[in-house]
């Protein structure tokens, strides 16, 4: 799939954000069930390391979206570009905001 069409790029960031939510939630549940906070990896508990890696990977997925936006900027009207850029900026901000608690470390109660 190429990131060329207006609807694809308009929704791409929010697809990444929703994927991030699902993956982080699933990994935190799995990690708590398997006892990952008791193990360590690179000085962090395993759960925090795995969640952090998943979160960084999702944030990194915005790079190809930004590259596609930069390449297609001249093909679209100013309002089309602005709406797609704003939607993806909001999705990036939401992805960062919802993943920030990973940095604090999670406790499995």
């Amino acid at each position: 799939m190429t990131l060329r069409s207006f609807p694809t790029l308009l929704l791409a960031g929010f697809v990444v954000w929703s994927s991030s939510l699902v993956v982080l939630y699933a990994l935190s549940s799995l990690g708590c069930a398997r006892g990952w906070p008791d193990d360590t990896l690179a000085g962090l508990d395993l759960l925090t390391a795995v969640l952090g890696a998943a979160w960084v990977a999702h944030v990194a997925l915005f790079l190809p979206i930004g590259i596609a936006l930069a390449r297609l900027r001249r093909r679209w009207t100013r309002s089309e570009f602005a709406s797609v850029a704003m939607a993806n900026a909001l999705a990036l901000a939401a992805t960062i905001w919802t993943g920030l608690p990973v940095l604090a470390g999670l406790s499995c109660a």
Side-chain angles (χ1 to χ4, degrees):
M1 178 175 85
T2 60
L3 294 175
R4 292 187 181 177
S5 70
F6 179 78
T8 302
L9 267 175
L10 188 63
L11 296 174
F14 287 106
V15 170
V16 172
W17 167 71
S18 63
S19 169
S20 174
L21 280 175
V22 169
V23 168
L24 291 177
Y25 186 77
L27 285 174
S28 65
S29 298
L30 180 65
C32 286
R34 304 262 175 155
W36 290 355
D38 300 331
D39 299 328
T40 59
L41 177 70
L44 296 170
D45 67 83
L46 185 58
L47 180 60
T48 301
V50 169
L51 290 174
W55 180 54
V56 168
H58 278 90
V59 171
L61 288 174
F62 282 92
L63 185 61
I65 295 171
I67 291 170
L69 274 172
R71 288 183 180 168
L72 295 172
R73 183 176 186 176
R74 296 176 192 237
R75 293 184 187 178
W76 292 341
T77 65
R78 183 175 278 182
S79 64
E80 287 174 334
F81 177 77
S83 62
V84 171
M86 182 59 72
N88 283 290
L90 290 172
L92 175 60
T95 304
I96 291 171
W97 180 257
T98 56
L100 279 176
V102 167
L103 299 178
L106 301 172
S107 64
C108 300

